[in-house]
Amino acid sequence: MTDAKNQDKDQHSTAGAYVHAGEEFNRDTTYIEDRIVAEPENAELGEGAQAWPVAAGRYHLVAARACPWANRTLIVRRLLGLEDAISIGLPGPTHDARSWQFDLDPEGKDPVLGTERLQENYFERFPDYPRGITVPAIVDIPTGEVVTNDFPQMTEDFAKEWTEFHRAGAPDLWPAELEDEMRDVMKRVYTEVNNGVYRCGFAGSQEAYDKAYERLWVALDWLEERLGEKRYLMGEHITEADVRLFTTLVRFDPVYYSHFKCSRQKLTELPNLWGYARDLFQTPGFGDTVDFQQIKEHYFIVHEDINPSQIVPVGPDLSNWLSEHGRENMGGSPFADGATAPGPVRSGEEVDPAHTPLR
């Protein structure tokens, strides 16, 4: 178990991210590996993990809009139409040393869980939980106990285990014929891009930063080339691979370019990636989950070691996210035959109109 001082640092930062002088950034990827599955008796589990049964109305997804890992779950939940099956809690963009808090809700409490901080739900199950209190997390409503914070498995299980509760016309985000290649692509996207921007931002030395910067841009150049030949990462239609890349791209110019020093080029200067990002943003289920103001407030306020002034930038201008992307000329479509876009965002889950160009 970490000492109290280091535990506070973990909980006060983004998924345990913190600058350590002279060191490369290494993310703690130890998560609560329990799964929620359709057939618990047949579930493939890691050592010590438990299987929980799929059940509509039993679980509460806690997912801060500011966090890229949580943003994935918001997108997948919406694309698949799981809003009626899995309720949602939306913490504010900043948090104190204890954890993410429900400061946007009336009286500062999540209306379903009745808690002020997500930490309470972690401690309900693990009183001595030694790691950072991360989002996304799924909480068992009857007990108030956290079930899992394993975000990559979470969205995969939404797609594969919750099919009974998918909306009519839900897309197949994990096409069986593409899965092996998808996993290779997603692994590279995660290590080199999703986590690569953090490796730059939290580098503890010039040498560590230079290495991280080089790795990031090798990967972004690879993606720029790949997306010159394919409308989406895996071809003609959206898959989970696109969800996982999108949440980093949509944060690139507002945050990572400056705050994390990923500044060789802006996203808007990379023709294929910029067109691709706008194509996704303008697809229902993607841009309508993105709150640019919360994103900026989170990074620039919480990361005091990187931005001691905690001043939040006013820009950039967001109107260009709605400009024509031209990606339809490459063929394909967001969703394969038989699949459709999700309907309007449900009441109470809309992004503040002042925080998005989608007005």
Side-chain angles (χ1 to χ4, degrees), residues 189 193-194 223 233 241-249 273 276:
V189 166
V193 180
N194 300 148
L223 288 166
L233 277 181
D242 300 295
V243 176
R244 296 188 180 195
L245 177 58
F246 172 78
T247 59
T248 295
L249 296 182
L273 278 163
Y276 163 82

Side-chain angles (χ1 to χ4, degrees), residues 10 16 39 85 104 147 157 166 230 257 260 315 350:
D10 282 347
E39 298 180 358
L104 301 181
V147 174
D157 284 342
H166 287 185
K230 304 173 184 287
Y257 177 84
F260 280 177
E350 306 95 340

Side-chain angles (χ1 to χ4, degrees), residues 17 34 41 56 127 156 308 334:
D34 287 14
E41 64 278 8
E156 182 174 352

Side-chain angles (χ1 to χ4, degrees), residues 56-83:
R58 176 171 175 175
Y59 304 103
H60 196 56
L61 170 65
V62 179
R65 293 192 188 278
C67 171
W69 321 107
N71 197 173
R72 293 181 181 186
T73 63
L74 296 176
I75 293 169
V76 172
R77 172 179 174 267
R78 181 148 154 63
L79 290 176
L80 299 178
L82 290 173
E83 293 96 332

